[in-house]
Amino acid sequence: MTTTSDAHLEPRPAPSDWWRSAVIYQIYPRSFADGNGDGTGDLAGVRSRLGYLRDLGVDAIWYTPWYASPLADGGYDVRDYRTIDPAFGTLADAEALIAEARAVGIRTIVDVVPNHISSEHEWFQAALAAGPGSPERERFWFHDGKGPDGEQMPTGWVSSFQGETWTRTTNPDGTPGQWYLHLFTPEQPDVNWNHPDVRQEHEDVLRFWFDRGAAGIRIDSAALIIKDPELREVPATPGPGEHPHLDRDEIHDVYRGWRRVADDYAEPRVLVGEVWLADQERFAQYLRPDEMHTAFNFDFMARPWDAKELRESIRTTLEAHAPVGAPATWVLSNHDVTRPVTRYGRADSSFDFAAKRFGTPSDLDLGTRRARAASLLVAALPGALYVYQGDELGLPEADVPRELIQDPMHFRSEGVDPGRDGCRVPLPWARTGASLGFGPDDGAAPWLPQPAGWADLSVEAQDADPGSMLSLYRQALHLRRGLPALHAEEFAWLDLGGDDVLAFTRGAGFACVANLGTNPVPLPAGATVLLASGPVDGVVGPDIAVWLGLPS
């Protein structure tokens, strides 16, 4: 395999369009690095590891919520957008981190959760105190129940976390009161985007963070925020825009307003949407020139390790983005999804939240080979690349003991779903130590336990090993930055090796070949191996991907 030194790195993309081909590293702050030894990751820990991220070769960091929160849903229940949760540090720490990261060439993207806030937020507490019919309640979805005594929920909508979506309040005299809507947990009441206060507050939050140097925002559950004011039930087969709380047509006015805010800066800020939609045409509407810049491509991430499936996902993704001129994004996992090493080693290597179960077997050696190949495959595709913390180490999904699970998805499934904590276990940085370098050796135990054997997957263990997953990622990201073809948007399929092979060119001088079949595939005549996920000797073996320089 060929290595690339820093001396050969090309400059980063111009500030105006850096996001079109950027490598963005996702940090789950609670689990990245613990600077003060309390067992929880924090901003001091991230600041201490900026050199690692610089050397890895990332262009930006995306943080999951670091705001004040009771952590009913891992920080996605925000109590105050203008305050950093004390577990992570202070607002001054966040400002320093943004500035220090930018000084080493790394931009910062922060998370905004527009669908809901924490039940401890001052708005919701005021709404509970004010009572039915009050202006305070108009910022939310309070509603009388059905039936003679209002004992039935206003709708039968199903939660994104399974279960019910309405919780009944209690009046001051102890009698049952109105119900309020929460598409997630009861601790996350949905806000009413028909209310001007809600729209103004969120635009002010954007400015608050943009003024502090944030280069962009990631928009959580972006397609859910607008609800049908008539609270109609979900049709059996809803047509475009007909779902009562998903992808309603009115939603685009909100994001046009956000785009105006983002564009109002000398260096325009970037909007990145979490948009879970099966309809590619509806998905692309969020990426029109006056709305979001990019949105996550969950279709590719959810597909199995199958050439036909992944080819179809690549084709439909690029075709959907082309009419609106937006770049695609590629991601193998995130803080919600089973890690690739585990997922790709299973008999069913696709991902579906509803299918998660305890004890699903996985061949981790097979999963690791495939995850290595997948990392080169996605890094070679046109568009932006997201890397979830720990994937560059080849970490498997951790089996968190049931008694230590904290994720609400586990509890709302009545214990059937193992939840998402398995991909949120604190990172191993060192071969030794009580927390493998996650925190100081005399500090508290990590908030989730690290599995036995993770010392061999630590940064320290992999750092000088040219065959490690970490070395593969570093080489890939440095090559990606240095090869002009991987900053352009040219793409063409290459007919090579049959239906089990994904092969494509990115301009005249570069090709990627990924063999998802069982038979070796000969290299094209005259090709030079730039980087490979495994051994290559004239052929690309099963579950191996290779980057090639092609003769002119």
Side-chain angles (χ1 to χ4, degrees), residues 28-205:
Y28 191 74
R30 202 176 181 189
S31 298
F32 185 72
D34 174 13
N36 64 7
D38 65 357
T40 296
D42 49 38
L43 302 190
V46 179
R47 292 170 71 184
S48 73
R49 301 292 184 178
L50 284 174
Y52 168 81
L53 296 168
R54 176 201 60 214
D55 294 344
L56 183 61
V58 304
D59 300 296
I61 307 169
W62 155 41
Y63 295 90
T64 58
W66 54 16
Y67 316 109
S69 169
L71 296 179
D73 180 25
Y76 282 89
D77 47 319
V78 178
R79 184 169 57 215
D80 184 353
Y81 275 108
R82 297 169 179 83
T83 302
I84 298 298
D85 195 277
F88 301 142
T90 65
L91 179 59
D93 292 330
E95 293 171 337
L97 177 52
I98 293 170
E100 290 168 9
R102 189 61 186 268
V104 297
I106 299 174
R107 291 174 168 85
T108 295
I109 296 172
V110 299
D111 225 314
V112 172
V113 190
N115 181 70
H116 49 263
I117 55 177
S118 168
S119 57
E120 295 186 10
H121 191 287
E122 62 180 3
W123 277 10
F124 191 71
Q125 289 298 306
L128 290 177
S134 64
E136 290 84 355
R137 289 201 172 188
E138 291 178 0
R139 294 168 171 160
F140 300 91
W141 291 94
F142 282 90
H143 206 279
D144 294 334
K146 295 180 179 179
D149 299 315
E151 74 279 3
Q152 299 175 26
M153 292 183 294
T155 73
W157 297 352
V158 177
S159 171
S160 296
F161 283 174
Q162 305 181 45
E164 300 170 346
T165 56
W166 294 88
T167 291
R168 198 168 193 185
T169 62
T170 301
N171 293 322
D173 62 2
T175 59
Q178 288 186 307
W179 299 75
Y180 69 88
L181 175 68
H182 50 85
L183 292 184
F184 293 86
T185 71
E187 294 82 9
Q188 295 167 285
D190 285 32
V191 292
N192 177 10
W193 275 89
N194 296 322
H195 198 292
D197 287 357
V198 172
R199 299 198 178 209
Q200 185 62 54
E201 168 65 6
H202 282 79
E203 290 189 5
D204 289 347
V205 165

Side-chain angles (χ1 to χ4, degrees), residues 249-528:
D249 291 336
E250 308 95 306
I251 203 167
H252 298 285
D253 288 337
V254 172
Y255 296 128
R256 290 187 185 100
W258 287 23
R259 182 60 177 262
R260 288 191 290 272
V261 173
D263 287 347
D264 196 31
Y265 286 78
E267 181 181 304
R269 288 2 186 196
V270 178
L271 308 181
V272 182
E274 182 194 31
V275 183
W276 289 86
L277 291 177
D279 187 324
Q280 290 289 318
E281 291 186 7
R282 297 286 295 188
F283 173 87
Q285 290 183 13
Y286 290 79
L287 301 175
R288 289 175 288 197
D290 60 347
E291 295 189 47
M292 299 178 193
H293 297 77
T294 64
F296 289 131
N297 174 19
F298 294 113
D299 179 75
F300 185 93
M301 180 179 66
R303 299 264 187 155
W305 185 250
D306 176 89
K308 180 180 178 181
E309 292 271 359
L310 295 180
R311 181 182 293 106
E312 176 67 9
S313 181
I314 294 168
R315 182 188 65 80
T316 57
T317 296
L318 295 178
E319 288 180 356
H321 285 74
V324 290
T329 65
W330 309 99
V331 57
L332 295 178
S333 73
N334 59 33
H335 64 293
D336 292 331
V337 174
T338 304
R339 286 195 181 272
V341 164
T342 297
R343 194 170 75 244
Y344 286 144
R346 291 175 171 171
D348 180 0
S349 55
S350 63
F351 178 79
D352 186 341
F353 281 111
K356 291 187 71 174
R357 294 295 182 270
F358 286 97
T360 305
S362 177
D363 180 341
L364 295 184
D365 288 338
L366 175 63
T368 298
R369 289 198 303 275
R370 290 175 170 177
R372 288 174 64 91
S375 69
L376 293 193
L377 174 61
V378 292
L381 291 167
L385 173 66
Y386 283 80
V387 178
Y388 176 51
Q389 65 178 43
D391 281 355
E392 80 278 14
L393 302 178
L395 298 181
E397 188 84 352
D399 292 324
V400 178
R402 285 178 183 260
E403 65 272 17
L404 299 179
I405 292 175
Q406 300 187 27
D407 183 21
M409 289 192 79
H410 168 68
F411 300 105
R412 288 177 66 85
S413 72
E414 299 182 347
V416 172
D417 184 342
R420 300 164 294 175
D421 287 345
C423 64
R424 300 175 176 182
V425 172
L427 299 188
W429 292 92
R431 292 178 184 269
T432 60
S435 64
L436 301 178
F438 171 67
D441 285 345
D442 59 352
W447 71 279
L448 287 174
Q450 296 161 313
W454 272 26
D456 293 336
L457 297 174
S458 66
V459 174
E460 182 183 12
Q462 298 192 44
D463 194 41
D465 178 2
S468 69
M469 184 77 84
L470 177 57
S471 292
L472 179 68
Y473 265 82
R474 283 175 176 163
Q475 293 173 67
L477 299 191
H478 288 184
L479 270 173
R480 178 185 164 100
R481 183 179 296 170
L483 293 171
L486 296 183
H487 290 281
E489 298 184 8
E490 293 181 70
F491 177 91
W493 290 109
L494 185 64
D495 186 9
L496 183 70
D499 293 340
D500 290 331
V501 176
L502 296 175
F504 53 87
T505 59
R506 295 289 308 280
F510 177 89
C512 176
V513 179
N515 183 0
L516 280 67
T518 58
N519 297 315
V521 177
L523 293 175
T528 301

